[in-house]
Amino acid sequence: MTGADYGFVAGVGYGRSISVGTRTLLVSAGAVAPWARMDARDFDVHVGATVGLAGQRRWRLIGGLGGSLRATENAHARMRNLAADGVLMGGYWTPGWFVTAEVGYDNAIATHIEHSDYYRARIHPDARDGWYVDTGANIRVGLAGGLSFGHHDLVLRAGQARDREGHAQLLPAYVTLGLNLRF
């Protein structure tokens, strides 16, 4: 997978379909890091599951829930957070391609912040390190489409990202291109 997510990122993941009664649950895990310069201090590790909620034939509504452990570091601080996310996708699926509309919500439940000496010297000398709750949330609304060929899936996602109050973010749009290998 590659895309623009406040920078160019690359990732790897694994998904597995599991039958649960009459439904199929897709369980997945993945990791994403900056593409330009790999940095072990800047990452996103995600686990989640999606399941069909409703639909007839090829028209389906799918929901998903997940959790992430993320970290980043800059001149101001080192931050690590635990997050939860949800997604709702509605669209048309065939064995060879799909197209959907999606809406997602990502909430940083708790973030551990270690302020840098630079930050303390120039911005806030009394800044406190520690865990902070509910440090932000993102809403994304967009479209996704994909093609399947052989043991590969090519998936393109694009849309707009907002904070929980609906304000545009620094990077107000997202685009990702993923290549999945099935085995």
Side-chain angles (χ1 to χ4, degrees):
M1 169 177 55
T2 185
D5 185 6
Y6 291 100
F8 289 103
V9 297
V12 63
Y14 180 77
R16 183 82 179 164
S17 295
I18 302 170
S19 293
V20 179
T22 60
R23 301 199 187 267
T24 300
L25 183 69
L26 177 62
V27 180
S28 61
V32 176
W35 177 336
R37 189 181 102 226
M38 289 296 178
D39 183 351
R41 297 166 298 183
D42 195 350
F43 63 86
D44 182 345
V45 176
H46 184 267
V47 296
T50 58
V51 67
L53 301 174
Q56 291 185 359
R57 297 185 162 209
R58 301 203 183 278
W59 292 97
R60 296 187 193 132
L61 180 65
I62 296 174
L65 294 173
S68 294
L69 171 62
R70 298 182 282 226
T72 191
E73 186 173 327
N74 59 33
H76 298 282
R78 179 175 186 206
M79 295 169 277
R80 294 177 300 271
N81 86 20
L82 299 170
D85 63 87
V87 65
L88 195 57
M89 299 174 284
Y92 189 81
W93 278 265
T94 74
W97 61 274
F98 74 92
V99 63
T100 69
E102 66 178 6
V103 61
Y105 186 78
D106 181 310
N107 190 71
I109 297 168
T111 303
H112 188 269
I113 302 174
E114 296 174 29
H115 299 89
S116 69
D117 292 340
Y118 172 88
Y119 184 84
R120 291 180 200 285
R122 290 175 178 80
I123 298 171
H124 191 319
D126 297 325
R128 293 185 187 179
D129 294 345
W131 285 97
Y132 291 83
V133 297
D134 197 23
T135 53
N138 299 313
I139 301 166
R140 67 181 186 285
V141 177
L143 299 173
L147 296 171
S148 294
F149 48 94
H151 291 283
H152 301 83
D153 298 318
L154 188 62
V155 179
L156 177 65
R157 297 175 59 233
Q160 291 193 341
R162 305 281 179 168
D163 66 19
R164 83 175 87 193
E165 287 82 26
H167 303 112
Q169 297 181 349
L170 179 61
L171 186 63
Y174 65 89
V175 176
T176 61
L177 180 63
L179 177 63
N180 303 323
L181 306 173
R182 289 181 271 122
F183 52 92

